[in-house]
Every structure is written in C-alpha cells, then in structure tokens.
Amino acid sequence: IEPPEKPLQAEEWNRLRESFGSPEIFEEVMFNNMVRCNSPIDVAKSLLTHVAQSNGDVAYNLLIKYLALCVQQGQTSEIHDVYDIMKIRFRILESGAYNLLIRGLSNSDQWRMALTLLEEVKKIMIPSRTNYECCIKAASCHQEMNLAFELYHEMLAKDLVPTLDVLQAFFDFSRGMKGAELQKELFGILLYLRENQIYPHKTFMRSIKLWFESIPGGNWRGHLTSIKDSGQCPVCNHQLEDSDLTEEEYNNLRERIIRDVIHGTDTFRKTSPQVGLAHCTGVKVFPVSLFLQLRKSLVLLCFLQLFDAVNCLAKENARLLVLGRKHMLVNSSNWKREIMKEMQNKADFFFAENISEDDAFLLYATLQSGKHCKFVTRDFLRDHKACLSDSLTRHLFRKWQRGHQISKKMFLSVFIQQPALRYDCVIQTTGDTWHIPYKDTFEEKYSYRVPRKWLCIQQK
Amino acid sequence: MQSANVLLKKIVRSSVLPFAAQHGMKKDLFPLSRTLSLSPCLKQDNSRSPSEKLDLDAWKKVMKSGLQEEVSETVSERKELSALAAAREILEMWRLAGRSVPENISEEQLKTFMDCPSKSAKKKYLKYLHLKELHKKNDKRKMEEKRERRLETVSKTDETRSKSFVCLWANCMDKAYSWRVAQSMIFGQPLVFDMSYEKDMSVREVANTVRQIVLSESCNRRSLDPFHIHFCNFKDDSLYHKEFIKHYKEAWGKLLITVTDQCYTDVFPKDKLIYLTADSPKVMKTFDHDKIYIVGSMVDKSIKTGVSLARAKRLGLETAALPLEKYLLWNAGAKNLTLDQMMHILLTLKDTGDWKAALEFVPKRKHYGFVSKPVHELKKTLNLINTLKLGKRQEEVRKQFAKNYSRKLTQK
C-alpha cells in the first residue's frame, strides 16, 4: 500500500485499515512504507494520533519507526520529543532506538546531546561502531578535534574497527589546522593503516594529500605516481622498504606456521608425522631456492605447465624442488614416465602421500630453506592463512607471501612468471617523505591484489 | 495499490464534499462552487478552518498524560538493577521493537546469553530460543487439539478395552525388542561409537550428537538383527554423559549397550577395525560382517575436515567412506551424514547388502537421485560437456603454449 500524501482523519485511517488485507499489522506496514517513500512527517503524525486515540497508547515499534522517519528527514525537535516520550514511557531504551537518536542528533546543532546518549549506551552495552562514528564526525565537524580523537581512541580500545569514512573525516576536518598534537594524531592514523595493511581509496587519498599540503609552514608536496619495479619512487628517487621480513619476524612467522598450520591441533589432520619428519631431513639436505608445486586439479594442463616451468626455471640456474604426490609416479596418460624422468634430472622431487596436503609441505620447505627461498603456486594459501591464530601473524604471512610467492597467470600463457614484489606495498614514511599506496576505486574487487598507484608526499 | 488510491479518493470525496459544501455556503469560501470537481476539492481539504484541523501532536499528549502515576513508581525501582535484570529488560525492549526474542527466558538461559562473546552470537542465541519457543507453543496447541478430538472419539467407543490392549501390546513389543538386543550383545556384530570428540564440539553440538545417538539406538533396538553397540572412550561425568542422562533418565543404567572408557583398539583386534569417515580416500565396496565399524559421534557444524581421519591415522586403522559418489548424483551439502542416518544405512546393509536400499536414507535434498548408468559413462558425458564449455579456451592455451615454447627454444 502506498502511504497517503496528506494527513488523514481518524475515520479515513480506519477505512484504509479495513481495506488492508491483514488489519493487525496495518500500522507497521504503513510506517515501513512511509520510511521507504520518505513521506511527509505530518502524515506519520496523523497516523500516530489516530493510533493513540483509538488504543490510548502507541507501541514501541511504531515509535521507533516514526523516529526513523524523523531521523531520515532531520527533524531535530521531533527527535527530541520522541526521546522525551520514550524516556517517560520506558525504563530503558534498546540499541535500535539509541542508534537512531545518536544518528539524528549528531547531524544537528544539538550534537552534544548525542554524546550524552553515547554515555547512556555505554552503561548498558558496548556502543556500536556507527554510534562512535556519528559522534566523532559530529565533534570533528564542529572543530572539536581533541574530543573526536578521545572518542576514536576509546573506540579502538574497545576493539571496534573504524571505517575509512571516519578516518577520512579526520583528515577533512583538520585541514589547515595547526598543532603538533593534532599532527601526531593524524600520523597515528596513517600508522594504523600501515599496521593493518589497509589501503585508502582514491577520495581518501585526496583528503590525505590536501591535508598534508595545507599544514601551515609544513611545505609538504604530494604527487601521484607509480613505483618502479626496482622499488624506487620516480618523484623523489627514494627507495621503498623491501619486502623482506626482519630476522626476528621471519623466525616468528616460521615458528607460528609450523605450530599452527602444519601441526595445528592435530598433526595427523594435515599429514602424518613420519612423512613430515622424512621431509624435514630432506629439506635440510637441499638448500633449495625455488619451489614448484603441483595442484591436482587441471592435471593435464598442469603437467605441461610443470614441464615448461621446470625448464624455464632451470635455465636461470635455480635450485629446484618439486613437490608432488605419489600418484604422479605411476605411468599414466597424464603423467608420462619419460618426461618425469627428464624433469627429475633438472630438479629434486619429493612425493608426498596421496592423501596428505602438499601445501603444508610447501610452506614448511620454503620456510626451512631460509629467507632467500621462493615458491611457485597459484594457490592463494588462504586456508593456511586462516589457521594462523592472530591477525599480526596473518599480516606477516601476507607480507612474506607478497615477497616470496611467484604466481602464474593461467590461460594467457602457460608460464608467465609474475615476479614477487621487491618492495613492500604498505604505507611508509622516512620522516620527511610519506609513500601511500591507494586503491583506484572504493571497492576493489580482489583482496589479494595490491595497489600499483602511490601517493608520494615530500617535505621541501 | 491502485485500489487503495481509488478508495482514498472515494473517502475524500464522500467525507469532504458535503462538509465543504456546507462551509462554503456559510463562509463564502467557494463562491463559484456548486459544481465542484474532485481536484479542487482535494486541495481544499487542507485549508479547512483551524478548529477542524487535525491536531497532529495529539498523540504526544496521550503518551505523556496516561502514564504519570507509573513514572513515579518506576523511578523508585530504578535505583538498583543487577546485571541479570538489566539484561532481561533489554530483551524486553528488543521484543517490543519487534526483534526475534523469546517471550520467557529462564535464569540459566539469560546467563548463557550474557556469556555469549559477541553481538552476533547473542543475536543467534536469542533467535534460537525464539524459534524454540514458537515450536513449543505450536506443539502444545496441536496436543491440545488432539486431546480434544480424542476425548470426543473415546467417549463414543468402549475405552477401557482398547486402552489395555494397546498397553499390553506395547509392553510385549518392548520385551521382544529387549530379547533381541540382549541376544545381539552375545552373538551380534559390534558397532562402535567413538566418544572422544567432546573437545572438538560446542555444547550445542554435543547435545545434538547425543540426540542423534539416542535416535540411532532406538532404531537399532527395533531392527530385526541389531548391532551390539559399544560406546568407547566414554568418560563418566563428561558432557556426553550428562546429556545422555537428560535423555534417558533412569533408563540409562538399563540400556542394552556396552559403555567403556577404553579405546576400541584395546577392546578389539586392530586389523578388524574400520573407521567410517567421509574424508577417507578409500570407498567402502561391500559391508563386511566380520569387521567392526567405528562411527565417530561428532556433529560437525563448522566442517572441521579431517578430524576423524586424523584419529584413524594416528591409531593406524583402516578407514572407509560410504560410496555416495558412486551411487548418487550428489547435489549439495556435506557428505557427512547424521548418526541416525548412518545407523539406518548400516542396518539395511547388514540385513540386505543392497546399497540402493541402504542409501535411501541419505536425505533427498542432498542428491538428485540414483545413478542409473555406470559412473565412468556419466563422467565421460560430463567431460564432454566440460570440453565443449572450455573447448575454445583450451585450444587457445595449447596454441599459446606451443608458441611460447618454440620461442624460448629459439632464444636460448
């Protein structure tokens, strides 16, 4: 049913209600439609009046829906009235009402009221991140940056993840403002992005750039650029951080992978320990620098690929270890024995049990061989990443993967090597320069793709 | 929608026309109007005299006025609210806001609710309680209807005789079943439930597991040639134990099954054991009457692949999976079946050895139907479809490969 355009009299509502299929939910449906069509608030009021006069009471869910309509249209005084009524009528309010109230009030000149509401919410539960966001935006919009940052830190302390929107608001609203403290806080946000390997999108990047350039007396200049393969910034000739992990990080990651991924809760789940052991000793014998790995899917293609890949990499004088399963040794139409023999001359092979997971071996062998060792697979190893228990190690894993995985593009050519990145794709600074990778669009489709575009900011 | 509009217009016309005409006459608002068309009439609707105008904020007065006394009460009560009471109030408000929240919640449930680690966990738990409550209410209503109906029919017939007959019959059947199971405890083929998965499961999953085992035990008892059921690795005072007692009550001590805290490898010779798990690479071909099959009693909602396979590997046992792929055209869902389905399948296999009859117990939603042709033929057609689909691309790849390869050869 379509909501009427004008306020109706009681009997008119009655008639509408009777014509509706199920009269018991008529008001609810009507209010939902009003919110959807953004009807004038007077119509909603007239319906409320009708309900109040016929029942002597308005149910909580109708009040909420009316509130939603008021918030949608920014009717501050109405929001206040509804809040007063709710306060009188009900002992406490639930999260839905608070969300609406905070959102409605933070956009008005009574935004401080939203802060008191936030305090109220804290008494009964942990406020949601949107609650914080509304308050932070309101505070920074009114140039109360200290308050905004206080809320921001409180939010982080409660393990809530801020959206890029809020972070962008910080940069937008502190444009042209002075203060070492403020500057430190905003650098803190950039470091937060770095630590969590979050890339800003284009408009966010623009806000950052404008903020830097607006710092009074800072003399910052920003340029959009893309980094050379060697890891050098073409604008300021600065060499970006390389993708190698530090010794400590590397050892840490290796231990965690062995503990969480390969052994996991049960060594027998991924493989069996005897095989693992045999493999360990095998690895210590060869200092391999490159690994190849086979996937069981697309066997024929993979086989041709494997042959090609082994040949191609052997020419580069790399030490190769090819991981496979025992079934590959059986002569079949897919796995020709002669070609296998030929390959075995060029590379070392290891064949695991048919039922054990070869990815785990791949990880183990690569990590055991040392930091210089790289591996080839087109698997993204997501399920192994998921086995790692904390996000910090996961980030290390991603970083290591970016630097050490050589992936192949399928179909276009059988083996085009996609080299591992030499530099680390993450927000970085040297004090007088900042390099910020950014995404072209707001929603980048693939999470495994790292941005190729950079913002270079340097101080003159 | 349209009919509502039409109706609206009708309402407006019928209610406003006489009214407007009346006032128009008196106050000369419509000097021209004896022949009012609908559209000006609608416009006039709003510009009625102020006394007749809708009081849009009337509802606020109603809301504020009716509750003065109650307010004073609530203020005094407000002082001290324990955490539980506060949670209860929030739930009440959520219910008023139209979320799926149960009407009544016990102290214990409230505590579980508060212990939920995240908001979504809380929401899920509430929804579960809500649905449970709805089901319970429905069942109750149906029971009552049934009772009424029965009262009507019973009053017509001779009640005492039919009742005692049913009683006697049920009693006899129980005895007959018990005899059969007792026999199987001496001569029957053992079937092992491995009860060592407690720490891999949540509390809900353990409860579901026990429910499934209770169902399988009952269908085993009713079968012509029951298994001798063993619960191995069963610890007293474990969650399993508590749940079993909840289901069986005093009957738990009288069940005709073997419960032990030993491992199956200690009870039976190792070479006779076969661990049934969906992750096994080996597929069961026939049901072997000399072997002892092990079923892991685990409900695995989060699909932890390979947990039971790992257990079998550790103990060096043979494993097997049901030949689901071979006989069924699989549609969707995981290949792990519930314990009672497993029991039905094993019992049917034991009695008849007929895979088709046994696999009738696989839920219909999980498969399209039985495979009519031999599998390799089906696979051929599948491959044909795949090559037709991918054909062009594969051709491209091959060409590209040849080109690249020759180029590389010439380069070096």
Side-chain angles (χ1 to χ4, degrees):
Chain A
I1 45 165
E2 229 169 76
E5 285 167 14
K6 302 257 158 54
L8 299 186
Q9 295 282 4
E11 67 249 47
E12 290 163 341
W13 280 121
N14 261 338
R15 249 170 278 178
L16 256 187
R17 185 189 150 112
E18 272 152 31
S19 70
F20 183 64
S22 40
E24 28 331 319
I25 55 162
F26 168 73
E27 287 89 5
E28 256 190 273
V29 175
M30 188 52 112
F31 263 112
N32 282 345
N33 286 346
M34 281 180 192
V35 173
R36 210 187 55 220
C37 306
N38 206 5
S39 314
I41 195 165
D42 284 349
V43 181
K45 275 183 182 177
S46 80
L47 179 55
L48 276 183
T49 306
H50 164 61
V51 172
Q53 275 165 356
S54 48
N55 301 349
D57 188 17
V58 179
Y60 184 74
N61 58 345
L62 293 189
L63 279 181
I64 294 260
K65 278 172 187 156
Y66 175 63
L67 187 61
L69 192 68
C70 294
V71 169
Q72 198 170 309
Q73 301 179 359
Q75 307 269 4
T76 316
S77 65
E78 276 307 304
I79 295 173
H80 260 282
D81 282 352
V82 176
Y83 175 62
D84 288 340
I85 287 170
M86 280 182 165
K87 264 285 161 195
I88 297 171
R89 185 71 182 71
F90 304 102
R91 210 185 294 185
I92 55 165
L93 302 185
E94 47 82 52
S95 47
Y98 276 123
N99 283 345
L100 284 168
L101 286 168
I102 290 177
R103 182 136 53 94
L105 292 172
S106 65
N107 286 330
S108 70
D109 44 353
Q110 280 160 327
W111 60 276
R112 278 183 194 279
M113 177 86 180
L115 294 180
T116 49
L117 283 176
L118 186 70
E119 291 302 316
E120 249 176 75
V121 178
K122 272 185 225 161
K123 275 180 215 155
I124 50 172
M125 65 195 115
I126 298 173
S128 70
R129 74 170 182 181
T130 33
N131 290 352
Y132 272 111
E133 273 176 29
C134 290
C135 292
I136 290 174
K137 271 190 187 164
S140 52
C141 187
H142 293 86
Q143 302 294 311
E144 297 249 3
M145 296 317 281
N146 286 340
L147 181 62
F149 275 110
E150 209 173 286
L151 286 171
Y152 170 69
H153 290 303
E154 196 178 302
M155 179 177 177
L156 290 186
K158 287 188 168 139
D159 275 339
L160 296 171
V161 182
T163 52
L164 290 184
D165 235 22
V166 154
L167 302 181
Q168 191 183 349
F170 277 124
F171 283 95
D172 281 340
F173 288 115
S174 42
R175 202 176 293 162
M177 279 167 89
K178 224 174 177 168
E181 195 60 30
L182 180 76
Q183 209 164 318
K184 213 177 109 197
E185 290 282 8
L186 288 170
F187 285 159
I189 291 180
L190 289 177
L191 292 178
Y192 173 82
L193 293 179
R194 173 193 163 89
E195 252 144 56
N196 293 291
Q197 300 191 20
I198 301 167
Y199 307 114
H201 47 85
K202 210 171 188 174
T203 46
F204 187 7
M205 178 276 297
R206 211 162 280 147
S207 301
I208 295 173
K209 182 167 176 270
L210 287 175
W211 174 74
F212 266 107
E213 288 170 350
S214 77
I215 298 176
N219 281 329
W220 292 92
R221 278 285 141 260
H223 297 278
L224 304 188
T225 179
S226 48
I227 302 294
K228 290 179 199 158
D229 280 344
S230 61
Q232 206 179 32
C233 170
V235 180
C236 60
N237 292 326
H238 173 71
Q239 183 70 32
L240 293 193
E241 287 174 36
D242 61 18
S243 57
D244 285 341
L245 307 181
T246 64
E247 205 61 44
E248 193 191 338
E249 281 174 334
Y250 187 79
N251 288 337
N252 210 348
L253 178 71
R254 191 175 62 192
E255 263 164 44
R256 294 303 290 273
I257 286 183
I258 289 169
R259 200 183 75 200
D260 292 348
V261 178
I262 296 170
H263 295 312
T265 46
D266 190 345
T267 334
F268 287 88
R269 263 178 83 170
K270 297 269 161 70
T271 166
S272 58
Q274 291 89 350
V275 177
L277 218 68
H279 192 243
C280 276
T281 49
V283 171
K284 276 179 190 143
V285 175
F286 323 112
V288 274
S289 60
L290 269 169
F291 270 84
L292 293 175
Q293 193 214 9
L294 297 175
R295 305 294 303 150
K296 56 186 167 182
S297 55
L298 281 169
V299 178
L300 182 65
L301 212 67
C302 226
F303 180 65
L304 292 173
Q305 261 189 342
L306 178 71
F307 185 57
D308 194 28
V310 167
N311 280 331
C312 177
L313 289 168
K315 276 173 198 156
E316 291 174 16
N317 283 328
R319 219 49 234 262
L320 301 179
L321 174 68
V322 179
L323 290 175
R325 295 214 176 91
K326 285 200 173 137
H327 70 82
M328 286 159 47
L329 286 172
V330 181
N331 195 14
S332 65
S333 60
N334 288 336
W335 301 102
K336 295 251 165 38
R337 188 163 280 163
E338 315 86 74
I339 305 183
M340 287 301 278
K341 276 266 161 59
E342 199 186 323
M343 279 199 284
Q344 268 163 326
N345 291 332
K346 289 178 180 159
D348 295 309
F349 272 69
F350 176 79
F351 296 98
E353 283 305 319
N354 285 341
I355 59 167
S356 53
E357 284 185 34
D358 46 2
D359 299 346
F361 288 131
L362 175 81
L363 283 176
Y364 186 78
T366 318
L367 285 166
Q368 279 296 344
S369 312
K371 263 164 83 172
H372 59 284
C373 181
K374 296 191 170 141
F375 61 99
V376 183
T377 174
R378 61 190 172 82
D379 194 288
F380 292 114
L381 307 173
R382 287 197 195 97
D383 44 345
H384 300 295
K385 195 177 77 178
C387 289
L388 294 170
S389 46
D390 64 317
S391 61
L392 196 78
T393 330
R394 268 183 234 166
H395 287 314
L396 276 184
F397 183 79
R398 278 279 295 161
K399 188 176 171 186
W400 174 73
Q401 198 186 356
R402 276 202 302 265
H404 292 83
Q405 180 166 8
I406 299 170
S407 50
K408 300 171 282 180
K409 281 185 190 142
M410 298 291 295
F411 296 117
L412 286 172
S413 144
V414 179
F415 191 74
I416 294 179
Q417 223 170 297
Q418 197 179 344
L421 284 179
R422 295 238 179 94
Y423 56 93
D424 194 17
C425 186
V426 72
I427 294 184
Q428 42 195 284
T429 179
T430 56
D432 58 348
T433 58
W434 280 87
H435 286 93
I436 299 169
Y438 66 94
K439 296 187 285 186
D440 232 352
T441 47
F442 179 68
E443 276 300 326
E444 195 94 303
K445 206 171 167 191
Y446 306 104
S447 61
Y448 60 86
R449 268 197 196 151
V450 287
R452 313 298 290 203
K453 293 186 173 173
W454 289 72
L455 169 67
C456 161
I457 301 174
Q458 52 177 329
Q459 202 167 22
K460 289 261 161 71
Chain B
M1 221 48 110
Q2 220 169 7
S3 64
N5 265 349
V6 169
L7 192 86
L8 192 69
K9 277 180 193 162
K10 259 188 208 162
I11 294 165
V12 171
R13 189 184 297 158
S14 57
S15 63
V16 173
L17 257 181
F19 154 82
Q22 222 179 17
H23 285 252
M25 287 297 277
K26 274 184 195 162
K27 296 183 183 172
D28 273 351
L29 271 172
F30 311 123
L32 312 169
S33 68
R34 281 272 41 140
T35 52
L36 270 173
S37 66
L38 183 63
S39 50
C41 158
L42 272 171
K43 266 182 203 157
Q44 293 300 330
D45 182 27
N46 248 12
S47 59
R48 275 171 296 197
S49 56
S51 61
E52 289 290 321
K53 203 171 176 180
L54 268 171
D55 182 7
L56 289 174
D57 290 333
W59 62 277
K60 289 182 189 168
K61 278 175 217 150
V62 173
M63 293 297 287
K64 280 176 182 168
S65 66
L67 291 141
Q68 286 311 318
E69 327 84 83
E70 274 184 47
V71 173
S72 52
E73 279 170 34
T74 50
V75 166
S76 59
E77 274 174 40
R78 202 179 241 176
K79 285 176 213 155
E80 278 298 308
L81 274 177
S82 70
L84 276 181
R88 202 177 277 274
E89 282 202 8
I90 287 216
L91 288 191
E92 180 59 23
M93 292 313 289
W94 275 342
R95 203 171 65 77
L96 285 180
R99 294 209 204 174
S100 41
V101 169
E103 253 175 71
N104 305 308
I105 186 164
S106 71
E107 203 90 327
E108 199 181 330
Q109 286 167 337
L110 207 58
K111 269 182 194 140
T112 346
F113 163 72
M114 283 167 66
D115 289 341
C116 287
S118 67
K119 274 184 188 171
S120 57
K122 282 182 183 180
K123 222 183 251 175
K124 249 184 218 167
Y125 183 65
L126 285 179
K127 193 168 180 194
Y128 158 73
L129 289 180
H130 178 66
L131 286 180
K132 208 168 131 186
E133 197 176 29
L134 278 184
H135 282 303
K136 224 173 199 175
K137 247 185 216 164
N138 260 345
D139 286 348
K140 209 171 178 186
R141 192 174 46 81
K142 273 182 199 160
M143 280 283 270
E144 246 147 50
E145 277 170 20
K146 209 173 171 185
R147 191 177 302 152
E148 266 169 38
R149 239 179 291 140
R150 200 191 292 149
L151 273 179
E152 276 169 29
T153 48
V154 162
S155 59
K156 282 174 201 159
T157 55
D158 188 7
E159 46 186 306
T160 47
R161 242 178 94 191
S162 66
K163 216 173 179 179
S164 66
F165 175 69
V166 168
C167 244
L168 207 66
W169 190 68
N171 220 345
C172 281
M173 286 313 282
D174 271 349
K175 260 184 202 158
Y177 288 145
S178 299
W179 268 110
R180 239 186 250 157
V181 182
Q183 231 169 2
S184 84
M185 280 188 78
I186 305 169
F187 304 110
Q189 183 179 4
L191 177 77
V192 178
F193 281 96
D194 179 9
M195 311 293 248
S196 57
Y197 293 100
E198 196 174 302
K199 62 177 189 307
D200 291 312
M201 288 190 282
S202 67
V203 180
R204 280 265 300 281
E205 283 172 337
V206 173
N208 290 350
T209 309
V210 168
R211 215 187 136 75
Q212 289 179 11
I213 294 179
V214 169
L215 286 175
S216 10
E217 191 270 332
S218 83
C219 80
N220 181 56
R221 198 187 328 155
R222 269 151 231 264
S223 72
L224 280 177
D225 181 16
F227 282 108
H228 175 193
I229 295 182
H230 289 258
F231 289 173
C232 288
N233 293 325
F234 188 91
K235 305 270 180 306
D236 275 345
D237 295 323
S238 57
L239 257 179
Y240 279 123
H241 192 185
K242 272 178 214 151
E243 285 290 328
F244 270 120
I245 287 181
K246 222 187 246 174
H247 270 281
Y248 280 115
K249 305 211 170 69
E250 337 37 289
W252 170 244
K254 295 180 211 155
L255 276 186
L256 294 172
I257 53 176
T258 306
V259 179
T260 164
D261 59 349
Q262 281 176 305
C263 187
Y264 28 84
T265 44
D266 301 332
V267 183
F268 301 107
K270 232 177 186 181
D271 54 326
K272 290 229 162 174
L273 291 170
I274 294 183
Y275 210 114
L276 293 176
T277 161
D279 299 321
S280 170
K282 273 178 212 147
V283 172
M284 203 168 150
K285 289 215 172 65
T286 49
F287 182 86
D288 195 334
H289 294 268
D290 282 336
K291 296 278 185 191
I292 295 149
Y293 289 95
I294 308 170
V295 180
S297 20
M298 175 185 187
V299 168
D300 181 13
K301 282 197 174 151
S302 51
I303 310 293
K304 301 180 196 85
T305 316
V307 173
S308 51
L309 184 65
R311 204 135 303 180
K313 264 202 245 169
R314 167 166 293 146
L315 297 168
L317 299 178
E318 214 179 307
T319 57
L322 292 181
L324 298 174
E325 289 275 86
K326 191 176 164 196
Y327 288 93
L328 300 171
L329 218 52
W330 202 256
N331 172 21
K335 299 249 166 62
N336 48 2
L337 302 176
T338 62
L339 299 172
D340 50 317
Q341 285 159 10
M342 214 49 207
M343 182 58 113
H344 275 296
I345 289 171
L346 289 177
L347 280 171
T348 323
L349 279 179
K350 187 172 177 230
D351 291 345
T352 60
D354 180 3
W355 278 107
K356 221 172 166 180
L359 294 181
E360 279 294 331
F361 291 100
V362 176
K364 295 282 177 291
R365 66 170 190 282
K366 286 195 176 183
H367 62 90
Y368 292 117
F370 284 91
V371 173
S372 46
K373 283 188 243 172
V375 184
H376 60 268
E377 262 177 52
L378 264 170
K379 277 215 172 125
K380 251 185 220 162
T381 50
L382 258 172
N383 279 347
L384 197 72
I385 292 167
N386 278 342
T387 43
L388 278 177
K389 256 194 217 161
L390 299 169
K392 221 176 157 192
R393 276 207 307 209
Q394 249 172 3
E395 200 60 33
E396 261 171 40
V397 169
R398 211 161 290 149
K399 266 185 201 160
Q400 195 81 31
F401 170 71
K403 220 164 102 189
N404 272 0
Y405 195 67
S406 59
R407 201 177 59 207
K408 263 174 214 151
L409 284 180
T410 50
Q411 266 173 3
K412 291 276 158 157

